[in-house]
Amino acid sequence: MSEPLAIETVDLRKRFEGIEALRGLNLGVPRGSIFGFLGRNGAGKTTTIKLLLGMARPTAGQARVFGLSADDATASVSIRARTGFVDENKALYDYMTVDEIIRFTARFYPGWRRDLEKRYLQSFGLPLHQKTTTLSLGVRSKLSLLLALCRGAELLVLDEPTSGLDPAASEEVLQTIVTHVSTENLTVFFSSHHLAHVDQIADHIAIIDAGRTLVAGALDDLRGQYRRVQLVFNAEAPDIAFRTPGVVRVRRQGRVLTALSNNGGDALIEEAMRFGPVSAELLPVTLKEIFLESVAVED
Amino acid sequence: MLWHKAWLETRGRFLAGLALSLIVGFGVIYDFRATERLLPIVRNMDPSALDTSGPLGAAIKEGLAAQQSFRGFVWWQWYRQNLTYLVVIFGALLGAGGLLAKSESATLFTLSLPVSRSRLIGTRAFVGLAELLVLAIVPSLWVALLSPSIGQSYSVVDVLAHGLCMFVVGSVFFSLAALLSNEYADVWRPVLIACVIAAAIGMLEYVPEIGRFGIFHVMNGERYYRSAALPWIGLLLNGGIAVALLRTAAVNLARRDF
């Protein structure tokens, strides 16, 4: 039996004024996961989020959240009733105070969590009677997070939640998300181009570029699949065309040849040994390397 | 909830409109005394001295005739001029901006709430139109209330009848501005375009053949003033136009990508 998905997109396409923002995006976000949605600026992350929340409509393909079609206006209301959202700009009503916007938002959610509201108000130190327009980006981010977390949602959709924040504020936001997820049964889908943040909290990822999914899966599985083989030769490294499946990229620099595989490294190293390197090493790959290699391959 | 949000967004424009209308209403009342003093001079004028063959002369003659009584003065000065201008301008101002205008920075936050777009625009329209109704009636009630202070009286029934005409036609400019707000990023262009259209219609209505069917004749309640009968057909037509414009705005909004 397949794992139930909180979010699923199938061949999702979106064209804006002649520009193809999404070109057949396929995603599956398992329920209960913390899903990092990675991509360069303009890769299609925000567009995907807008399609999932009914803020824009797909040109083709399907987007489903909780099994409901995000394209259907009625279903979209039900999706949003079960979803907390923080947008990239953390834009809130500038004519409301912190207290007013909390009261305003709470009225839309019967399952509003007063206990969490109190807790986060205290821990974030939010000024209740201050207009949101006077808040710094860091404080506004925390308020946006409070408004998303207290909805009693099953799904949190966070578009660049740490964008524009200093390291301390970013860390606080990330820790809040992790702590919240550890105590509540929910799925987190967050976009970012901060690889370290994704690496820190995500258990599943997808890397997209130019509107297509390049890599997707459980982060631990991906780390197991991706391996870097480093070979050192006595003389100039030979130009090797590896036959082992899964070789993503090969680089030569002087006597050193490195090859990245997304299919483990054992078979690759076995093949590499036939070319007589002085040394051969199988190295783990970081998320940053996976991202950069995936995006570079696309280029 | 949403109505409170709509109120917070529009209250500045609404209160400014209300305050200005009350001030103008106050001015109109006390202007009647000056007009009263001038009336005997006008009555003693040689009728042949006034050329009423052209549209301007005809309008002056009509104005002089109307302002012989306090009721006529209020209709001519207040409903036919000042309140018409105010309701057109503030109707457009209240309709502009819209809940989901491109200028609203927190649009994505609004759209993340579990409410349909039709409910969003419906609530915004309801609150804006309620404010417009207040603008169409309350300043006139103020005029009726002040009338005894200059030894005159003005009927509350007249206030309500003219208020209905003002509101229905004002809602056309409200809806036009709401529709234009789907296209423009700022508040001012929809208001400016709506006002330019209103001015163009107003000028066209100086042509007698067109004027009889013009919306400003419905708006100022001329038929009610002259014959105590409400211009039902005009009201229904204008109400229909307002509904159609709002409906178009709602459909455009439902289709729009953010």
Side-chain angles (χ1 to χ4, degrees), chain A residues 76-93:
Chain A
S76 180
V77 173
S78 304
I79 290 168
R80 293 197 298 273
R82 297 160 68 184
T83 304
F85 171 67
V86 174
D87 93 279
E88 185 179 3
N89 300 318
K90 286 89 186 174
L92 299 167
Y93 306 131

Side-chain angles (χ1 to χ4, degrees), chain B residues 54-65:
Chain B
L56 186 61
I60 293 170
K61 187 184 173 191
E62 189 189 356
L64 289 173

Side-chain angles (χ1 to χ4, degrees), chain A residues 217-230:
Chain A
L219 196 49
D220 286 344
D221 292 347
L222 290 172
R223 283 197 181 109
Q225 286 167 21
Y226 277 82
R227 282 286 186 267
R228 184 180 296 281
V229 173
Q230 184 171 293

Side-chain angles (χ1 to χ4, degrees), chain B residues 98-146:
Chain B
L99 181 73
L100 296 174
K102 289 174 186 169
S103 58
E104 195 191 335
S105 59
T107 297
L108 294 187
F109 179 78
T110 305
L111 289 171
S112 78
L113 298 171
V115 285
S116 64
R117 291 190 191 181
S118 51
R119 196 176 140 202
L120 292 174
I121 195 169
T123 309
R124 173 69 169 75
F126 180 81
V127 171
L129 288 171
E131 290 168 340
L132 184 64
L133 183 63
V134 171
L135 286 181
I137 291 177
V138 170
S140 301
L141 281 174
W142 170 243
V143 167
L145 194 73
L146 289 177

Side-chain angles (χ1 to χ4, degrees), chain A residues 229 231-244 250 252 255 257 259 267-280:
Chain A
V229 173
L231 308 168
V232 181
F233 293 88
N234 271 331
E236 183 85 6
D239 187 5
I240 304 171
F242 287 101
R243 292 178 184 169
T244 308
V250 178
R252 289 190 302 145
R255 297 190 303 127
L257 182 146
L268 183 61
I269 222 163
E270 202 175 305
E271 186 186 353
M273 291 309 288
R274 291 207 293 270
F275 295 94
V278 178
S279 70

Side-chain angles (χ1 to χ4, degrees), chain B:
Chain B
M1 294 250 279
L2 288 176
W3 65 265
H4 181 62
K5 174 183 180 298
W7 161 247
L8 292 177
E9 282 168 353
T10 54
R11 64 180 172 183
R13 292 173 234 172
F14 166 67
L15 292 173
L18 188 62
L20 191 60
S21 304
L22 293 175
I23 291 166
V24 174
F26 182 87
V28 164
I29 281 292
Y30 290 98
D31 189 38
F32 182 67
R33 283 189 164 168
T35 306
E36 260 185 326
R37 282 195 291 272
L38 288 172
L39 283 175
I41 304 167
V42 173
R43 283 189 198 114
N44 293 332
M45 275 174 63
D46 175 11
S48 62
L50 186 64
D51 177 11
T52 59
S53 56
L56 186 61
I60 293 170
K61 187 184 173 191
E62 189 189 356
L64 289 173
Q67 293 177 81
Q68 300 294 318
S69 68
F70 181 66
R71 183 171 179 266
F73 174 83
V74 170
W75 175 71
W76 185 265
Q77 293 291 340
W78 178 239
Y79 290 117
R80 199 173 177 278
Q81 296 179 52
N82 295 314
L83 192 59
T84 292
Y85 304 145
L86 288 167
V87 167
V88 167
I89 293 166
F90 282 95
L93 268 169
L94 290 171
L99 181 73
L100 296 174
K102 289 174 186 169
S103 58
E104 195 191 335
S105 59
T107 297
L108 294 187
F109 179 78
T110 305
L111 289 171
S112 78
L113 298 171
V115 285
S116 64
R117 291 190 191 181
S118 51
R119 196 176 140 202
L120 292 174
I121 195 169
T123 309
R124 173 69 169 75
F126 180 81
V127 171
L129 288 171
E131 290 168 340
L132 184 64
L133 183 63
V134 171
L135 286 181
I137 291 177
V138 170
S140 301
L141 281 174
W142 170 243
V143 167
L145 194 73
L146 289 177
S147 301
S149 69
I150 55 163
Q152 300 292 336
S153 68
Y154 195 80
S155 158
V156 173
V157 176
D158 282 2
V159 168
L160 296 177
H162 281 292
L164 177 68
C165 297
M166 282 285 160
F167 168 70
V168 171
V169 181
S171 67
V172 171
F173 296 101
F174 173 94
S175 306
L176 177 63
L179 178 63
L180 290 167
S181 289
N182 282 350
E183 302 302 323
Y184 295 104
D186 56 279
V187 170
W188 303 111
R189 271 183 292 179
V191 173
L192 191 65
I193 293 170
C195 288
V196 166
I197 289 172
I201 293 170
M203 280 191 265
L204 275 175
E205 288 190 14
Y206 275 106
V207 179
E209 290 76 19
I210 298 172
R212 270 176 290 168
F213 306 103
I215 65 170
F216 287 111
H217 280 254
V218 178
M219 192 173 191
N220 65 36
E222 184 171 357
R223 187 164 175 227
Y224 176 79
Y225 165 69
R226 297 198 188 282
S227 62
L230 281 167
W232 286 114
I233 294 172
L235 289 175
L236 284 172
L237 278 173
N238 281 286
I241 292 168
V243 169
L245 289 170
L246 268 183
R247 170 91 185 128
T248 309
V251 169
N252 285 352
L253 194 69
R255 285 185 191 150
R256 194 206 286 175
D257 288 336
F258 287 87

